[in-house]
């Protein structure tokens, strides 16, 4: 019965994480309207890999969001991003801080 309780707790945690991912995707779309640049910290074709990476970044002090992109000839990608910056210079400074703290390469990306 301990195993059943643990499995139920893990399923609930997974559902909460899925709900959080969906909320972050929506928040990311809203964020894009105000800022010109963001940091792309991961891009995955596999949704599960993207969700796992997203949760890793979310467990740090960063507030990631995810966007889906259809890449011609390659298919759908799930891009994990953090931050929104008004200037390229602000984004480059944030990139340096992110990379130093997370040991993950980030790319400054212009929002459309």
């Amino acid at each position: 019965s301990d195993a059943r309780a643990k499995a139920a707790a893990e399923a609930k945690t997974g559902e909460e994480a899925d709900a959080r991912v969906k909320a972050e995707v929506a928040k990311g779309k809203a964020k894009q309207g105000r800022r010109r640049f963001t940091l792309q910290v991961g891009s995955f074709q596999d949704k599960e890999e993207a969700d796992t990476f997203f949760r890793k970044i979310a467990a740090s002090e960063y507030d990631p969001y995810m966007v889906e992109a259809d890449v011609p000839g390659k298919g759908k990608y799930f891009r994990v991003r953090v931050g929104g910056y008004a200037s390229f210079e602000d984004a480059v400074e944030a990139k340096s801080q992110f990379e130093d703290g997370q040991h993950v390469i980030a790319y400054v990306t212009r929002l459309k």
Side-chain angles (χ1 to χ4, degrees):
S1 75
D2 282 345
R4 237 185 262 146
K6 185 178 179 186
E10 286 175 1
K12 184 175 182 196
T13 302
E15 289 168 10
E16 289 168 354
D18 289 345
R20 185 170 174 207
V21 167
K22 287 178 181 147
E24 292 297 334
V25 168
K27 186 164 54 172
K29 288 178 181 172
K31 248 185 214 179
Q32 290 178 5
R34 295 190 297 272
R35 303 296 182 167
R36 294 176 51 215
F37 299 92
T38 190
L39 300 182
Q40 184 164 302
V41 298
S43 183
F44 305 87
Q45 283 190 286
D46 183 77
K47 178 77 164 82
E48 251 181 70
E49 279 184 63
D51 289 345
T52 299
F53 183 76
F54 178 95
R55 286 192 288 273
K56 174 186 170 213
I57 299 301
S60 69
E61 75 255 29
Y62 291 92
D63 188 18
Y65 65 98
M66 193 179 311
V67 294
E68 291 182 24
D70 285 313
V71 178
K74 292 191 176 184
K76 186 180 289 193
Y77 279 79
F78 301 92
R79 295 173 173 169
V80 179
R81 296 177 170 177
V82 295
Y85 308 95
S87 74
F88 181 76
E89 292 76 16
D90 289 346
V92 169
E93 184 177 323
K95 168 186 161 46
S96 177
Q97 291 173 359
F98 180 86
E99 289 175 343
D100 288 348
Q102 297 301 305
H103 307 288
V104 172
I105 294 174
Y107 298 91
V108 174
T109 303
R110 179 181 285 278
L111 295 170
K112 293 178 181 168

